[in-house]
mmCIF file of all heavy atoms in Angstrom:
data_model
loop_
_atom_site.group_PDB
_atom_site.id
_atom_site.type_symbol
_atom_site.label_atom_id
_atom_site.label_comp_id
_atom_site.label_asym_id
_atom_site.label_seq_id
_atom_site.Cartn_x
_atom_site.Cartn_y
_atom_site.Cartn_z
ATOM 1 N N SER W 6 2.800 13.653 2.219
ATOM 2 C CA SER W 6 2.712 14.738 3.200
ATOM 3 C C SER W 6 3.320 15.998 2.624
ATOM 4 O O SER W 6 4.503 16.019 2.269
ATOM 5 C CB SER W 6 3.434 14.358 4.502
ATOM 6 O OG SER W 6 3.401 15.460 5.397
ATOM 7 N N THR W 14 15.298 21.037 3.421
ATOM 8 C CA THR W 14 16.095 21.563 4.539
ATOM 9 C C THR W 14 17.523 21.848 4.082
ATOM 10 O O THR W 14 18.089 22.912 4.414
ATOM 11 C CB THR W 14 16.100 20.571 5.703
ATOM 12 O OG1 THR W 14 14.757 20.336 6.134
ATOM 13 C CG2 THR W 14 16.902 21.135 6.872
ATOM 14 N N ILE W 28 28.211 38.201 4.948
ATOM 15 C CA ILE W 28 27.899 39.315 5.849
ATOM 16 C C ILE W 28 28.585 39.110 7.201
ATOM 17 O O ILE W 28 29.137 40.032 7.791
ATOM 18 C CB ILE W 28 26.368 39.457 6.027
ATOM 19 C CG1 ILE W 28 25.713 39.780 4.681
ATOM 20 C CG2 ILE W 28 26.036 40.524 7.053
ATOM 21 C CD1 ILE W 28 24.199 39.856 4.746
ATOM 22 N N ASN W 37 38.969 43.973 12.741
ATOM 23 C CA ASN W 37 40.338 43.516 12.494
ATOM 24 C C ASN W 37 41.311 44.691 12.607
ATOM 25 O O ASN W 37 41.138 45.708 11.920
ATOM 26 C CB ASN W 37 40.419 42.877 11.125
ATOM 27 C CG ASN W 37 41.804 42.337 10.819
ATOM 28 O OD1 ASN W 37 42.621 42.118 11.714
ATOM 29 N ND2 ASN W 37 42.081 42.108 9.532
ATOM 30 N N VAL W 113 9.138 48.099 -12.689
ATOM 31 C CA VAL W 113 10.122 48.511 -13.679
ATOM 32 C C VAL W 113 11.524 48.354 -13.089
ATOM 33 O O VAL W 113 11.740 48.692 -11.927
ATOM 34 C CB VAL W 113 9.894 49.978 -14.097
ATOM 35 C CG1 VAL W 113 10.982 50.461 -15.039
ATOM 36 C CG2 VAL W 113 8.531 50.113 -14.758
#
Side-chain angles (χ1 to χ4, degrees):
S6 176
T14 302
I28 298 177
N37 181 19
V113 175

